[in-house]
Structure formats: C-alpha cells, structure tokens
C-alpha cells in the first residue's frame, strides 16, 4: 500500500507540487494566526469556599462552619482531599479534586460543588455565611498594570481605575478586568456612648432610621386617561449632609437629628483586607485576562495602545505603570524559541551537507521544512498555541524529523549505485524501509505516551509536547515516502554506467571500521561486561546529580514573601514592607518594586501561589534590569533580608513552572487535640533546626497570639437589662465600627459605621471602663463580665480532610535541594512516636513529586506492551526485541555523564528527555537490525551480515544521531529545557556507540555468531 501511494505521488507531478505548495502556504498562514502564549496552559484543580462568621473564634469557625461544609463537600466522588484555614470570623476551604479530572470536566464539577455547598447553608449557625465558591481560582490575568498616586485619595484612585477598567473592557480579546487593592469606603459616625445613653437611643434605632430612609421601595404608579405615571420616591442618601439630617426616633417618641448627637467623616474599612503600592506609592492594581481562544500577544499590544492613550488623559498626579505583561513575556519567549528553531534547522541542514554534499543535504533538509509547516497547520487547527512546550517539542523532534528521509534517501541512492533504474530504486527503497521506519516512528512516539496520559498537572503541562512530537514525527514519515522520494526523482541524477561502483562502502575508514566490528564480535562478552560496569558506575554517580523536580525560569522578575508573627496589625505589616521596598530600591539593579499587603494579587502568572487574606503577610514583586542581575540580587537578598528584618519570615522566590508551596518540606501530623499536635510538631521542628541545610524551621500554624477574654455574665448583665449583643457592639465600635446602615453612592454601597472615640494608649483599665448602652441606660464593661483578662489562642487553625492538622515546615538553604535535606531528616522524623489516633505523612513538594512520578509510571506498562507488540510484529521473533530492551538501560550512562558535566539538575523534564532518547535509540537499532535481516534473507552468513549491515547503516545512523544532537544544542542554553537537552545530546552521543558496537555484540551473543562458524 505504501509503495502504491509513493508511485501515485511520483506519477502525478502537478498534484504533488500543489500539495507541497499548500503545506507551505498553510504553515505560513497558521504561524501568523495561531495563538501565542508564554507557557503551556494547565488547569489548577482547586476551588476555594469562603464563609464569614463574624465574632467567632478560629476554633468556633472550624467546628460550627467548616466541619458542616466539609461533610457535605466530602460526598463529591471527584474529591481528592480538603485543606482548610480557619481564622477569627472566616472559614476558607480549599477543595482539591482528583488529578485524573480533565479541563473540560471542571466546570460541571464546580457546579456540583456549588450545589453541595448550597444544600447546607441552612445548617450554618445564625450570622454565618453565605458561603462563596470561587472556581476561577486558576484564571490568569496576565496583563497587570498599577495606577498609583501620592497626592490623591484611595477614593480618587478607585474612581480613576474604574474609568480605565471600562475603557479596557472594550479592547478586543479582553475577557475581564479586575481591580486589586481598592480600599472600601465607609462613613464613620462617631458618637459618645454617654450622650447616646442620655438621648435614650439605641443602635437599633439608628439602624431602623437608615432602613426607612434609604430602602428602595416600589411606590407604584398613578394612572390618567391615557398614561400610567410611575411614582419615584426620591430620598436615598447622596451626600454627607443628608446623613447628618437623618431623623432618629427614640422609644419614647423623641426626635433627634443624627448630626446633633454625632460627628461624621469619610474613611475606609478597618482593618483593610489588602493594600498595594508601587515603589512605596499607594496604588490600585488593574489585572486583565484574555479570552480563552484569544492571542495574548495581540491583546496585550492593543491594551498597551489603549493605556498610552489613557496616560495622556490622566489627571495630574496619577501614574499608570506596567507591573507584568504576559503578552510581552510571551513574545520574548516565542522570539527566543523561534530563533533557536531557525538555528536548529540550519544546524541540521549543515550536518547533512557535511555528510552527503550540498544538493543531497538540501533535498533531505527540505523534508524538515515540510514537516514543521505541516505541524503548524495541525497546531492551528486544533488550538495548540505557540508556547514554551510546543516550540521545544519541535526543536526536540528536529533531528528525528530527517531520520526517515535520510534512511529512504540513502537506500534509494545505494540502489541506484547498484545499477537500478531511478524509479525502481526509489520504490525498492520504500518497500524495504517504510514499514520498519513506521514501526520505529510509532515507537518513538510511544515513549512519550506515559507523559501525555499522566493524570497529573505535569501531564497536562507537557501534553502539547507529546502531541507536537507525535504529529511532526508521523508527518516526517509521510513526507519521507512522498515528498522526499519525489525530490529524488526530480532532482537527483542517476549515476552513469561508468560512475557505478562495483563495491560499496570501501576505503580505509570502512576497512578500519570493519576491523573494530570484528574485534567487538570476537570480544563480545568483554564489551557487554564493560557496559554493565559503566552502568553500575552511572547508577552510583547519579547520587551526585542535584535534583530539581521542575526547572526554574530565567526571568527578570522574582518575588519576596514576608510573614510577620500572627496577630500583627496590617498597619505594622505595611510599615515593615515599606522599609523593605526602600531597601530594595537602594540597589541600582532594581527597576521597580510592587508590594502587596494582606494577600497576593490576582494570578498574573499561572504558577503564582495564593496567600491571604491575613494581616501579617506581604509580598514584593521585584523587577530587575536583566535576568542575570535578578539572580545575583536573589542571592544577595537571601543573606541580607533575614538580618535586616529579624522578626519576619522572609522567602525569596524565583519564578517556576509550577506553584511554589508555602514550604518546600512539610511533615504533617493529624489528630484531634491541638496541644498534642503542637508537641509532635515541635519535635519535628527541632529535628529540622539541627540540620544546617534547613532554612526557617517553623510551625505551620504560626505563633499563638494574645486576645482579650471578656466573659459575659448573664446574671449581672441581666439585672442591668444589657444583652451580650449590646456588649459586643460596644467593643466593636472601638476600632472596627458597628454597621448601622448603608448609603448608595451611584453603584456603590457604602457602609455607615457607628464608632466610639478612644485614645491611642487604650489599656485594659480603659476597656473595663468602656460604657455599654442599651437605649435606656449604660454600664461599664467590667460590671457585665466575670473577668477581663489577656489570653492566648492560635489565630490560624488548619484541618486536613476534616481532621485538625499541623505541619512542621522548613525551606532549603541556597545550594541545596529539597530531596537532599529531606533524605537527611526523613528517618529521624518518621521515628517520632505517634499517640493512638494520630497520623503522619510528608506533604508539600515531596507529596506532589511522588504523585507526579506515580502518575508518570502509571501508563508505562501500557507503553511497553505496545512497544513489544510493534517490535515482535516487525521482527517476527523475540530475540531481536530482547536485544533492543537490553540496550535501553545503557542509555543512562550518557545521561548521567551529561548532567554531571553540564551541572543541570535532574527533574521531570530530564525524565521526559530520557523517554525521547529511548525512542531515538530504538529507532536506530531497528534500522540496523532490519538491515541485518535483509542481509540474512539474501543468504549472507550471520557474521558477515551483522558486519555489513552495520557498515551500510553507519552513515544514516550517524546522520540521524548528529542531526538530533546538533539540533538540540541550542536548548542547552535554555534554563527550562537545558537539562532535557543535555540528556538528549550526551545520551544520544553515547547511544550511537551502543547502536554501532553494542548491538552487534549482543546480536552475536544471542545468535552465537563466531567467525570460525562460517
């Protein structure tokens, strides 16, 4: 059948030229139109359920809110596990679903989650909820700007940001725009409790007055003979004066104007949820996402144009700066990879020219172009964008794309040199090589199959790598038996009779090579024994290779996380991060520093970790002049920042392909008693502290913080007719303010808060003297309680699958790896004696890596079964597939040598590169063994068959290997794919020797080949 297709292609020249032209035109159009991203998209399989429960302690939140919600969520069949953060008044449940769930199933799953959460809302205690399910947790708002001003209020910043937001929403391919760091406005009504008590008013009286005045009610309509006139009851608050003139009626019917008993001021919600600044200037973030099928590069360019126009119209004192531009970063990454791609193409063609001359090299290299352009057509049709993974796949496949063409082309040339007519030589070459090459190509694709099928985020991340490699390799086989041989027919001259060679593969080099092969067969057991020794040395040497599961990125950006002790006010966190920004700005290499207090900003980069809201947390996003200067800064800051801010936990983070966990190493304990968990955790923290390579050992829950414990006495307070709610409102009015109503400022609902004046040096004695009112009388707080004293509590309470959970955490000092430190402390931590009912496991990066490796190996047996089936079908026996399988482990020798020489860490991408390396080795060995079988079928004895087959296949094997090696060299200088490239370059270099020498030795052992047997 393949022969018939080839013959059709050779005969129908016009159609053949048309099809090839369409491939080139289609590839060019596809490249222009296809989406462009910085990194391959992947689905973050998490959702966050948040529920407020004002006034409740962390433990009350956990027991009365979180546990009820978790019980309902746990019935989800797709659930993997639950983690919760419980803080005073707030439950935050992170729902992790099974890794096997694919992206197209996620929305339906989140709808089920919403129903589960909605079903139990009625079971929550009074005052709790409603729960909010955030299922766009993984959305990337990759174009991030900041509007800053040091002379305008937060209200003016918000108003200007809203104008910019509305303009940006009209830009092509913009999906949504979010504002970050907006300070919610309030109206503070400050009133003296004594004066409120004398007037006979209560907080409820003021709330009732607001409801009556500000509530929107349908007033109906008045009908005339011909019209119906809607009645609009105008009366909502639109100014401070209207609030001051609000009439409040006491229970005895006395009327008061609110302005007579209170003072008014505009302020912001206290404490703030989050704050943002750019170079220590207050700012509001403007985060923009692109539509799912949009081009982020084009969208960001259009946004940039709009921003330039908006800058010209900004009022004086406003500054609009770019914080992170995914479109620009994508363009830079794509331009760099396209340049590497061009270099790889030229390198491959140069290798071909060196081996087989200009004309032949150019003709074979043309197949490379057709394969790439055909792959671009497929990528555009199926929605695979140009991004780091898909472009790397093309470069990795680069050398392999000419393998098929080399073998067919070389076979056709050899046939013509033997005197065959051109078309017969071509068809004979296709007949003898097409099926082995197809089998070898399928095997090369199959070696990447476990990566693609991996039910883990890494599988999704690398899915485009597999698809692009698979499509390009299969297209290379198609073009090898069509376009490649068509060019042989059209452009290669058949040798004249006087140019025909009587004996092929002759000369001094071939004679020397035959002698080496003869020596290899003669000393076959020694050759194999040496390989076994080298393999053992490689396994031993592997321990000296540093391990980094996911590679770091080469960016001019990095982040600095700061955690102050639990219980610290957000104002103190803001003060310290302001000092940090000032310190960072002293470095001339720093271009810009954006700071975020209280919580992380919107996910402007896919792998960003999300923290908060928590008052003791802050993050700085630092932009350096160059990636090299960024790395030098990180090294310096790792040493200096902990000394400059001794009370804070500081972590300097380089951008990675996957999310950075809160700690690299986590020893997690689960049980029922926080005191027991604390004791177990402290033992593990102590073990971590004893390791000099561990950094910042700590308890996941943080430190215990002081609180004020005022025990309400219902007997004492009952005699005074003062309820617990009266007491709590009085205390809340001191700092936070009690909400008594809202007024509508256009589309904004601004809360009105009743506040009590207090001195900054407020003491416990002042708290005891705080007047609590009920509308008819007031009493000091001390008269309503048994005791007022300072106590201690955990501000953060965490659970794992409905059990209280506490982890001992630490990071790793620069120069060391997570695996290295974990291996040193693992045994000692695991020896900690656990009380009955308590469990332990390693969490964080160790757990994630273990799951990734299990997911990767899950489909290894399937790939191996397919591989065996194809090999047995190709060769019709078991001995030759066994030879191939024995050669594969020896590929580790070259890989280990390459990583040791280059200094790259071993990680997931190196493993993916090794899988690709296995496919290349199998392909070369198949070509060699197939030629041995052809020689044997022609009656050549085994000894000469293996030598002559190896000699005749040396040129295509060397060309195929060298094109792949040199095509991968540009990736050696890429931070992400350097380890993968080193695996392929060094591994394939050594594997070529395996193909040319170890394969004949193993063949001689399996078939008992000896020269004297002839």
């Amino acid at each position: 059948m393949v022969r018939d297709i080839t013959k059709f292609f050779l005969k129908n020249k016009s159609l053949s030229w048309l099809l090839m032209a369409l491939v080139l035109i289609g590839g060019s159009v596809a490249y222009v139109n296809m989406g462009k991203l910085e990194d391959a998209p992947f689905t973050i399989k998490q959702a966050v359920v948040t529920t407020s429960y004002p006034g409740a302690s962390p433990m009350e939140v956990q027991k009365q809110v979180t546990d009820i919600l978790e019980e309902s969520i746990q019935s989800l069949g797709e659930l993997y596990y639950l983690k919760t953060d419980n803080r005073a008044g707030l439950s935050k449940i992170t729902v992790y679903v099974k890794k096997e769930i694919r992206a197209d199933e996620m929305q339906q799953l989140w709808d089920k989650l919403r129903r589960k959460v909605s079903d139990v809302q009625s079971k929550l205690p009074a005052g709790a909820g409603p729960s909010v399910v955030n299922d766009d947790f993984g959305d990337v708002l990759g174009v991030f700007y900041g509007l800053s001003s040091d002379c305008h209020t937060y209200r003016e910043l918000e108003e200007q940001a809203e104008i910019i937001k509305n303009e940006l929403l009209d830009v092509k391919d913009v999906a949504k725009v979010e504002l970050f760091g907006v300070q919610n406005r309030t109206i503070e009504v400050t009133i003296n409790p004594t004066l409120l008590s004398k007037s006979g008013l209560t907080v409820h009286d003021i709330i009732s007055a607001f409801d009556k005045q500000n509530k929107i009610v349908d007033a109906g309509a008045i009908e005339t003979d011909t019209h119906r006139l809607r009645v609009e009851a105008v009366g909502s608050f639109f100014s401070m004066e209207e609030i001051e003139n609000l009439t409040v009626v006491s229970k005895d019917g006395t009327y008061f104007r609110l302005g007579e008993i209170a003072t008014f001021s505009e302020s912001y919600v206290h404490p703030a949820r989050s704050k943002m600044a750019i170079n220590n200037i207050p700012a509001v973030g403007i985060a923009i996402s692109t539509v799912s099928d949009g081009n982020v590069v084009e969208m960001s360019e259009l946004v940039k144009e709009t921003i330039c126009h908006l800058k010209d119209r900004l009022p004086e004192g406003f500054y609009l700066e770019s914080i992170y531009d995914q479109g620009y970063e994508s363009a830079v990454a794509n331009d760099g990879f396209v340049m590497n791609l061009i270099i790889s193409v030229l390198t491959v063609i140069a290798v071909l020219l060196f081996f087989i001359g200009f004309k032949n090299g150019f003709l074979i290299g043309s197949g490379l172009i057709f394969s790439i352009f055909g792959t671009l057509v497929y990528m555009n049709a199926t929605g695979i964008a140009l991004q780091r993974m898909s472009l790397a796949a093309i470069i990795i496949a680069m050398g392999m794309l000419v393998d098929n063409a080399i073998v067919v082309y070389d076979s056709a040339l050899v046939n013509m040199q033997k005197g065959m007519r051109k078309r017969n030589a071509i068809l004979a070459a296709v007949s003898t090589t097409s099926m082995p090459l197809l089998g070898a190509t399928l095997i090369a694709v199959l070696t990447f199959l476990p990566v693609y099928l991996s039910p883990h985020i890494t599988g999704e991340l690398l899915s485009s790598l597999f698809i692009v490699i698979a499509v390009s390799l299969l297209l290379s086989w198609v073009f090898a038996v069509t376009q490649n041989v068509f060019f042989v027919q059209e452009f290669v001259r058949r040798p004249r009779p006087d140019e025909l060679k009587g004996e092929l593969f002759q000369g001094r080099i071939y004679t020397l090579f035959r002698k080496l092969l003869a020596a290899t067969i003669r000393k076959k057991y020694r050759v194999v024994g040496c390989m076994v020794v080298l393999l053992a040395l490689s396994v031993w040497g592997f321990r000296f290779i540093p391990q980094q599961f996911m590679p770091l990125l080469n960016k001019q950006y990095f982040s600095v996380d700061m955690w102050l002790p639990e219980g610290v006010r957000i104002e103190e966190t803001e003060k310290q991060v302001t000092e940090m920004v000032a310190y960072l700005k002293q470095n001339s290499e720093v271009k810009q520093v954006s700071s975020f207090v209280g919580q992380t900003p919107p996910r402007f980069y896919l792998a960003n970790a999300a923290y908060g809201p928590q008052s003791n947390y802050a993050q700085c996003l630092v932009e350096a002049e160059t990636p090299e200067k960024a790395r030098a800064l990180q090294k310096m800051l790792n040493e200096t920042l902990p000394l400059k801010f001794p009370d804070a936990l500081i972590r300097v983070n380089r951008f990675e392909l996957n999310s950075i966990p809160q700690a690299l190493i986590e020893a997690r304990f689960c049980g029922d008693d926080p005191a027991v968990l604390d004791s177990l955790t402290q033992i593990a923290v102590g073990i971590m502290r004893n390791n000099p390579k561990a950094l910042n050992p700590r308890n996941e829950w943080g430190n215990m913080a002081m609180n004020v414990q005022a025990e309400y006495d219902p007997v004492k307070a009952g005699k005074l007719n003062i309820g617990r709610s009266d007491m709590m409102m009085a205390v809340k009015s001191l700092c936070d303010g009690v909400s008594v109503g809202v007024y509508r400022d256009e589309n904004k609902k601004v809360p009105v808060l009743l506040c009590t004046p207090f001195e900054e040096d407020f003491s416990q004695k002042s708290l005891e003297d705080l007047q609590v009112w009920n509308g008819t009388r007031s009493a000091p707080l001390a008269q309503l309680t048994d005791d007022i004293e300072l106590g201690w509590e955990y501000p953060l309470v965490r659970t794992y699958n409905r059990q209280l959970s506490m982890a001992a955490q630490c990071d790793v000092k620069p120069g060391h790896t997570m695996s290295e430190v974990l291996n040193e402390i693992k045994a000692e931590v695991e020896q900690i004696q656990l009380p009955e009912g308590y469990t332990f496991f390693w969490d964080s990066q160790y757990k994630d890596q273990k799951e990734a490796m299990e997911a990767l190996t899950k489909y290894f047996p399937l790939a191996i079964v397919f591989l065996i089936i194809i090999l047995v079908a190709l060769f019709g026996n078991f001995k030759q597939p066994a030879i191939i399988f024995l050669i594969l482990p020896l590929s580790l020798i070259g890989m280990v040598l390459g990583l040791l020489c280059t200094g790259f860490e071993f990680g997931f991408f190196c493993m993916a590169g090794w899988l690709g390396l296995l496919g290349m080795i199998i392909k070369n060995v198949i070509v060699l063994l197939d030629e041995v079988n052809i020689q044997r079928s022609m009656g050549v004895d085994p000894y000469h068959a293996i030598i002559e087959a190896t000699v005749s296949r040396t040129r295509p094997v060397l060309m195929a290997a060298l094109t792949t090696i040199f095509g991968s060299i540009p990736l050696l200088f890429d931070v992400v794919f350097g380890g993968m490239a080193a695996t392929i370059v060094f591994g394939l270099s050594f594997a070529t020797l395996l193909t040319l020498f170890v394969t004949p030795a193993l063949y001689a052992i399996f078939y008992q080949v000896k020269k004297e047997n002839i």
Side-chain angles (χ1 to χ4, degrees):
M1 182 179 176
V2 177
R3 182 187 174 99
D4 294 336
I5 294 173
T6 302
K7 186 183 291 186
F8 178 83
F9 210 83
L10 295 176
K11 287 183 176 179
N12 296 275
K13 295 183 180 180
S14 299
L15 178 62
S16 299
W17 282 116
L18 175 63
L19 291 175
M20 288 186 288
L22 289 175
V23 170
L24 296 178
I25 294 170
S28 302
V29 173
Y31 177 76
V32 173
N33 294 333
M34 66 197 313
K36 296 175 177 65
L37 297 172
E38 181 180 4
D39 281 302
F42 59 87
T43 307
I44 297 179
K45 297 167 185 177
Q46 303 170 20
V48 177
V49 181
T50 54
T51 311
S52 61
Y53 187 18
S57 69
M59 277 297 183
E60 289 173 330
V61 168
Q62 187 269 320
K63 292 176 181 177
Q64 299 177 30
V65 174
T66 301
D67 196 55
I68 293 172
L69 290 167
E70 283 186 302
E71 184 179 2
S72 178
I73 296 171
Q74 238 180 0
S75 61
L76 274 174
E78 298 87 349
L79 179 68
Y80 184 24
Y81 63 91
L82 299 170
K83 276 187 174 181
T84 70
D85 290 3
N86 301 278
R87 293 183 177 274
L90 181 66
S91 164
K92 178 181 174 184
I93 304 173
T94 306
V95 182
Y96 297 82
V97 299
K98 292 176 181 176
K99 309 288 185 181
E100 293 83 358
I101 308 298
R102 289 293 181 179
D104 56 354
E105 303 172 31
M106 296 302 293
Q107 194 54 56
Q108 183 179 359
L109 175 57
W110 297 144
D111 290 340
K112 289 170 65 176
L113 174 63
R114 280 194 178 84
R115 290 195 294 271
K116 296 290 183 184
V117 171
S118 177
D119 288 345
V120 293
Q121 292 300 295
S122 60
K123 297 180 181 180
L124 298 181
S131 301
V132 177
V133 179
N134 178 13
D135 64 347
D136 59 358
F137 185 70
D139 285 1
V140 179
L141 295 97
V143 181
F144 194 23
Y145 283 83
L147 178 69
S148 61
S149 176
D150 54 2
C151 60
H152 291 279
T153 65
Y154 276 112
R155 174 175 182 168
E156 291 167 328
L157 271 172
E158 180 187 0
E159 291 172 348
Q160 197 62 45
E162 287 286 356
I163 294 172
I164 296 170
K165 174 181 176 179
N166 292 332
E167 292 270 359
L168 293 176
L169 284 171
D170 292 331
V171 174
K172 182 178 179 292
D173 284 346
V174 168
K176 65 178 178 180
V177 180
E178 288 185 10
L179 302 183
F180 176 81
V182 170
Q183 300 306 299
N184 296 321
R185 287 173 281 149
T186 63
I187 301 297
E188 290 190 356
V189 179
T190 306
I191 189 169
N192 191 303
T194 305
L195 183 60
L196 189 67
S197 180
K198 288 180 179 179
S199 66
L201 294 173
T202 66
V203 174
H204 300 291
D205 294 331
I206 299 174
I207 293 173
S208 177
F210 268 91
D211 284 343
K212 291 176 181 178
Q213 177 73 15
N214 207 35
K215 189 175 182 180
I216 295 179
V217 180
D218 182 10
I222 296 174
E223 295 183 348
T224 67
D225 292 339
T226 57
H227 290 80
R228 179 178 171 86
L229 307 178
R230 187 179 68 84
V231 177
E232 182 177 359
V234 181
S236 297
F237 298 121
F238 293 102
S239 67
M240 294 281 286
E241 290 75 14
E242 292 177 356
I243 297 177
E244 291 179 14
N245 291 327
L246 175 68
T247 300
V248 185
V249 183
S250 67
K251 286 183 173 57
D252 62 4
T254 307
Y255 291 85
F256 293 91
R257 190 174 68 87
L258 192 57
E260 296 174 352
I261 58 175
T263 59
F264 301 83
S265 63
E266 282 196 30
S267 185
Y268 302 97
V269 170
H270 177 85
R273 182 183 178 89
S274 62
K275 287 192 172 184
M276 175 179 167
I278 301 175
N279 296 329
N280 276 340
I281 299 175
V284 170
I286 304 170
I288 308 144
S289 68
T290 185
V291 294
S292 58
D293 59 344
N295 186 324
V296 70
V297 176
E298 293 179 1
M299 185 274 283
S300 70
E301 284 296 328
L302 293 173
V303 166
K304 189 180 293 184
E305 291 176 12
T306 305
I307 291 292
C308 287
H309 294 310
L310 289 170
K311 281 184 176 180
D312 297 334
R313 307 204 312 259
L314 280 177
E316 188 176 352
F318 287 104
Y319 308 96
L320 192 53
E321 304 292 340
S322 174
I323 296 174
Y324 188 87
D325 189 342
Q326 189 189 37
Y328 173 77
E329 296 296 318
S330 300
V332 169
N334 275 273
D335 290 346
F337 264 86
V338 169
M339 181 57 64
N340 284 340
L341 181 61
I342 293 171
I343 293 171
S344 294
V345 171
L346 295 177
T347 302
V348 169
I349 293 176
V351 171
L352 294 173
L353 297 181
F354 176 79
F355 270 92
I356 53 178
F358 180 83
K359 184 178 181 180
N360 291 336
F362 180 79
L363 292 179
I364 293 178
S366 64
L368 177 67
I369 306 298
F370 282 102
S371 298
I372 292 173
F373 275 62
T375 304
L376 291 176
V377 172
Y378 178 86
M379 290 169 63
N380 186 49
T382 56
I384 299 176
L386 278 179
Q387 30 81 1
R388 197 186 306 271
M389 297 299 168
S390 57
L391 282 167
I394 296 176
I395 296 175
I396 291 168
M398 185 69 60
M400 293 188 285
L401 294 182
V402 295
D403 288 2
N404 294 321
I406 287 172
V407 174
V408 176
Y409 196 98
D410 185 74
S411 181
L413 291 182
V414 170
N415 289 339
M416 284 191 285
Q417 287 175 345
K418 290 179 179 178
M420 296 177 65
R421 299 179 63 84
K422 183 186 290 187
R423 183 168 293 182
N424 291 337
I426 292 171
L427 293 176
V430 170
S431 297
T432 56
T433 62
S434 60
M435 295 314 295
L437 287 177
L438 177 60
T441 302
L442 290 174
I443 286 172
V445 171
L446 279 174
T447 54
F448 284 98
L449 185 64
V451 175
Y452 175 69
L453 295 178
S454 169
H456 189 266
I457 192 172
T458 47
E460 194 171 356
L461 184 67
L462 293 175
S463 62
S464 60
L465 187 84
F466 167 79
I467 293 171
V468 172
I469 286 177
V471 170
S472 60
L473 288 181
L474 290 172
L475 283 176
S476 75
W477 179 84
V478 172
F479 285 118
V481 297
T482 53
Q483 170 268 330
N484 176 51
V485 294
F486 179 78
F487 276 17
V488 173
Q489 174 182 273
E490 296 300 307
F491 300 110
V492 176
R493 183 177 61 84
R494 182 192 174 202
R496 293 189 297 270
D498 59 310
E499 295 174 332
L500 296 178
K501 298 179 181 179
E503 292 286 339
L504 298 176
F505 312 114
Q506 298 299 317
R508 293 173 59 188
I509 295 178
Y510 283 111
T511 300
L512 177 61
F513 185 43
R514 284 186 175 91
K515 289 181 180 180
L516 289 173
L517 287 173
T520 299
I521 294 173
R522 189 170 59 253
K523 300 178 180 179
K524 49 187 175 293
Y525 291 105
R526 293 183 186 180
V527 170
V528 174
C530 287
M531 292 299 106
V532 172
V533 171
L534 286 176
L535 179 60
L537 287 173
S538 299
V539 173
W540 175 78
F542 186 79
R543 69 179 67 184
F544 301 106
I545 299 175
Q547 296 184 27
Q548 175 79 31
F549 187 67
M550 277 292 179
L552 303 173
L553 300 179
N554 191 36
K555 284 183 173 291
Q556 70 272 31
Y557 296 95
F558 64 93
S559 62
V560 181
D561 289 322
M562 168 191 275
W563 285 273
L564 291 173
E566 290 284 352
V568 167
R569 292 173 58 185
I570 194 169
E571 290 80 6
E572 176 61 22
T573 307
E574 185 178 19
K575 175 186 172 184
Q576 295 221 25
V577 83
T578 300
E579 294 176 10
M580 180 183 288
V581 172
Y583 175 71
L584 293 170
K585 287 292 292 179
Q586 291 175 4
N587 295 280
S588 58
E589 296 89 352
V590 172
K591 189 175 179 181
Q592 180 175 279
V593 182
S594 304
S595 57
F596 315 97
V597 183
Q599 68 181 113
T600 47
R603 193 180 293 271
F604 60 87
Y605 182 72
L606 188 58
N608 272 12
Y611 301 115
Q614 55 190 101
S615 61
N616 64 324
Y617 172 77
Q619 182 184 79
C620 292
L621 176 65
V622 184
E623 181 183 2
E625 294 289 343
T626 63
E628 293 72 26
K629 290 180 178 179
R631 290 198 293 273
L633 272 171
Q634 291 166 49
K635 185 177 179 181
M636 183 269 291
L637 294 173
N638 268 316
E639 298 172 356
T640 60
L641 284 179
L643 299 176
K644 189 165 182 65
F645 300 91
D647 295 334
L649 168 63
I650 305 290
R651 194 172 66 183
V652 182
N653 307 305
R654 189 168 165 184
F655 277 40
E656 295 187 16
L657 276 177
N658 60 335
S659 296
I660 303 171
Q662 189 168 349
L664 291 181
I665 299 175
E666 284 187 359
R668 182 167 300 282
F669 300 90
C670 298
D672 297 327
D673 189 342
V676 175
L677 291 174
D678 183 69
S679 65
L680 294 171
T681 303
Q682 290 307 316
I683 296 172
V685 169
I687 294 170
M688 292 174 177
R689 284 201 181 102
N690 291 332
N691 189 296
K693 301 172 186 176
L695 181 66
N696 296 323
R698 57 197 182 270
N699 186 328
E700 176 192 35
W701 286 20
N703 57 284
M704 297 188 78
M706 285 192 298
N707 65 353
V708 178
Q709 297 176 351
E711 187 176 346
Y712 175 75
D713 189 326
V715 177
K716 289 182 182 178
K719 293 178 180 178
L720 299 171
N721 196 27
I722 296 177
R724 186 172 182 267
S725 60
D726 296 326
M727 182 184 82
M728 300 310 292
M729 280 187 176
V731 176
K732 186 174 176 62
S733 68
L734 286 175
C735 296
D736 299 345
V738 177
S739 178
V740 293
V742 296
Y743 91 96
R744 291 177 175 82
D745 184 2
E746 297 181 351
N747 62 335
K748 299 287 184 182
K749 288 184 178 181
V750 181
V752 180
L753 303 180
L754 183 66
C755 301
T756 301
F758 72 100
E759 301 297 329
E760 285 294 332
D761 58 347
F762 203 79
S763 63
Q764 183 173 341
K765 180 66 169 64
S766 303
L767 183 63
E768 292 174 351
D769 293 338
L770 174 68
Q771 295 295 309
V772 181
W773 66 95
N774 67 351
T776 56
R777 63 185 302 172
S778 65
L781 183 62
Q783 293 185 14
L784 310 175
T785 60
D786 283 341
D787 193 15
I788 299 176
E789 60 182 7
L790 294 177
W792 295 88
E793 70 173 354
Y794 279 110
L796 170 64
V797 173
R798 284 184 163 161
T799 67
Y800 182 92
N801 281 345
R802 300 186 66 192
Q803 265 198 314
L804 289 178
S805 171
M806 190 180 291
Q809 298 179 325
C810 72
D811 293 308
V812 176
K813 289 183 179 178
H816 303 284
T817 64
M818 182 278 293
S819 300
E820 179 184 357
V821 177
L822 181 64
N823 288 334
E824 293 179 5
I825 65 172
K826 194 170 186 285
E828 192 174 356
V829 172
E830 290 177 353
Q831 287 174 2
I832 297 174
Q833 294 296 316
L834 299 178
E836 187 177 352
Y838 288 78
T839 57
F840 163 82
F841 65 92
W842 293 102
D843 203 352
S844 191
Q845 204 170 77
Y846 173 82
K847 178 173 176 283
D848 190 55
Q849 291 184 12
K850 183 180 177 183
E851 290 173 350
M853 293 306 299
E854 289 174 352
L856 180 64
T857 56
K858 181 177 181 179
Y859 291 99
F860 246 79
L862 179 64
I864 291 174
V865 168
F866 282 137
L867 198 150
I868 292 172
I869 291 172
I870 293 173
L871 288 176
V872 173
L874 275 176
F875 295 112
N877 60 66
F878 293 102
K879 285 186 177 182
Q880 291 175 357
I883 292 172
I884 293 174
F885 275 100
L886 286 174
I887 285 177
L888 295 183
L890 300 179
S891 62
L892 291 171
I893 301 171
M895 183 189 76
V896 171
L897 179 63
L899 293 178
L900 287 173
C901 291
T902 57
F904 286 110
E905 298 96 346
F906 178 81
F908 190 84
F909 279 25
C910 291
M911 184 163 292
W914 180 65
L915 292 176
L917 175 63
L918 297 183
M920 300 171 201
I921 294 171
I922 294 172
K923 194 171 186 180
N924 285 337
V925 177
I926 285 176
V927 169
L928 177 56
L929 292 178
D930 180 66
E931 181 63 23
V932 174
N933 293 335
I934 292 173
Q935 295 273 350
R936 293 287 303 274
S937 66
M938 295 169 61
V940 180
D941 62 85
Y943 177 81
H944 286 100
I946 191 170
I947 289 181
E948 294 307 316
T950 305
V951 169
S952 65
R953 289 305 184 192
T954 296
R955 185 168 68 173
V957 166
L958 282 177
M959 282 195 294
L962 289 175
T963 52
T964 302
I965 290 167
F966 283 98
S968 300
I969 283 176
L971 283 182
L972 280 173
F973 306 99
D974 185 84
V975 175
V976 176
F977 294 102
M980 178 188 283
T983 300
I984 293 173
V985 169
F986 285 84
L988 190 56
S989 298
F990 186 79
T992 304
L993 298 177
L994 296 179
T995 302
L996 296 179
F997 291 100
V998 179
T999 303
L1002 286 172
Y1003 188 94
I1005 291 173
F1006 270 77
Y1007 287 90
Q1008 294 297 303
V1009 176
K1010 296 180 182 179
K1011 187 173 182 180
E1012 55 268 23
N1013 293 153
I1014 303 172

